[in-house]
Amino acid sequence: MMIHDIKEADDTPPLVVENAYPGTVVYPPEGKLGPRIQQDLQLVMLHTGSMEIQVDKTMLQIPVGHVTLLKPGHTEIFTFAKDQETWHRWITISVKSISKNLLDDLGKLPSYIPISNQMNELTSLMLTISRENQSGYSQVNCSLGESAIWLYITECRNQYQSNVHPAVLKAKETIQGKYSADLSLRDISKESNISPEHLIRLFQKHLNMTPVQYLWLYRVNCGIQLLRSTGLQIGEIAFQIGFKTSYHFSRAVKKHTGRTPSQIRQESRNNVGAIKG
């Protein structure tokens, strides 16, 4: 899918944000939301559980670890996992004006893409700023909300204009959607319609790592985000992202970051405290 560059006939900005705010919520098993009429642009990020969204008459099954962009004027009904809690975050962007070119481009975007580290960090920053609720932070969140929209568009463009082999993209999509499951190399290669040996060679060529190494690195990054953004116990985080024990999760985090999960969590709390000060 090709996302075209946005060009304006005059100096009018393609997007003018009036308000932007983030949110985070955990729905219990069998949770539901809606029907509702979407009023704004909204980026919704699914971290755990499952999420099915009926947008008008279209059903979207959002994979864990992915973000979707909801657009104004549509009727939405959310259905969450039946057998576990579902955690998702969002950024709502209320626009004062939006150009037709940009609106057309948003309509051409894919239904969802993997949540990048940059999108996660931007959302966490907005949540931290919103918790402070100090004068001037509203305008900062407006700027960050606008940045989130442009980041999403850019990431869509990068994903679909990549020169990476399609089997690698499919394998990454499988890993990012099912990383909490007991995935094997054979499972991943089967989803990619390619032999395990060939998939390993392609990953080494394009990413300088094997599919299994990519899987464990993705799990670690998801775990670090949960450490920074939630109060979940370390053992619960380890279980949710596909580790058998908290010991193995802690070893993997230490190997990739040089810090323990407890140190990462404490650093996050210290950073919030520094903002308060």
Side-chain angles (χ1 to χ4, degrees), residues 206-266:
H206 292 291
L207 301 178
N208 199 31
M209 66 178 75
T210 69
V212 172
Q213 288 172 332
Y214 180 88
L215 167 63
W216 286 107
L217 180 59
Y218 191 82
R219 284 170 170 165
V220 168
N221 286 332
C222 289
I224 291 171
Q225 184 58 37
L226 289 171
L227 287 169
R228 290 172 173 166
S229 306
T230 75
L232 292 172
Q233 295 293 320
I234 293 174
E236 176 62 20
I237 291 174
F239 175 76
Q240 287 195 16
I241 62 175
F243 282 84
K244 299 295 184 184
T245 68
S246 59
Y247 172 74
H248 288 112
F249 171 57
S250 297
R251 282 191 62 185
V253 171
K254 178 82 175 198
K255 177 181 178 181
H256 287 289
T257 68
R259 293 164 291 171
T260 66
S262 297
Q263 288 172 329
I264 289 173
R265 175 161 278 173
Q266 188 58 50

Side-chain angles (χ1 to χ4, degrees), residues 164-216:
V164 176
H165 193 283
V168 173
L169 294 177
K170 181 60 180 177
K172 289 174 66 177
E173 180 181 327
T174 298
I175 290 169
Q176 292 161 358
K178 301 179 179 180
Y179 67 91
S180 61
D182 188 16
L183 275 179
S184 68
L185 173 60
R186 188 164 297 278
D187 295 328
I188 299 169
S189 61
K190 185 177 180 181
E191 292 281 346
S192 305
N193 295 314
I194 199 171
S195 72
E197 295 77 15
H198 193 188
L199 186 62
I200 289 173
R201 288 194 293 270
L202 289 172
F203 260 73
Q204 293 282 18
K205 174 183 176 181
H206 292 291
L207 301 178
N208 199 31
M209 66 178 75
T210 69
V212 172
Q213 288 172 332
Y214 180 88
L215 167 63
W216 286 107

Side-chain angles (χ1 to χ4, degrees), residues 14-74:
L15 179 67
V16 178
V17 176
E18 190 170 44
N19 189 22
Y21 55 91
T24 178
V25 65
V26 177
Y27 275 89
E30 300 185 344
K32 291 188 176 183
L33 173 65
R36 72 176 190 184
I37 305 295
Q38 179 62 248
Q39 301 296 319
D40 307 294
L41 294 172
Q42 188 174 57
L43 292 161
V44 179
M45 288 146 274
L46 178 62
H47 295 287
T48 64
S50 68
M51 177 190 295
E52 185 177 77
I53 311 174
Q54 180 179 331
V55 181
D56 298 330
K57 296 183 179 180
T58 301
M59 299 299 297
L60 296 178
Q61 184 70 48
I62 310 301
V64 169
H66 285 66
V67 53
T68 185
L69 175 64
L70 302 176
K71 296 172 280 294
H74 299 280

Side-chain angles (χ1 to χ4, degrees), residues 86-151:
T86 295
W87 172 44
H88 75 270
R89 303 194 296 174
W90 70 87
I91 301 174
T92 297
I93 303 100
S94 301
V95 299
K96 186 174 182 179
S97 64
I98 183 169
S99 72
K100 183 179 184 303
N101 283 350
L102 178 55
L103 201 57
D104 289 344
D105 276 340
L106 295 180
K108 299 172 186 175
L109 298 177
S111 298
Y112 49 79
I113 59 172
I115 305 170
S116 66
N117 290 335
Q118 291 85 350
M119 186 67 75
N120 261 329
E121 291 169 1
L122 194 155
T123 307
S124 295
L125 177 60
M126 291 184 69
L127 284 166
T128 299
I129 288 173
S130 295
R131 282 195 295 267
E132 301 311 307
N133 196 27
Q134 294 185 17
S135 176
Y137 278 2
S138 175
Q139 185 57 47
V140 173
N141 266 347
C142 282
S143 298
L144 292 175
E146 180 177 349
S147 297
I149 291 295
W150 292 115
L151 175 62

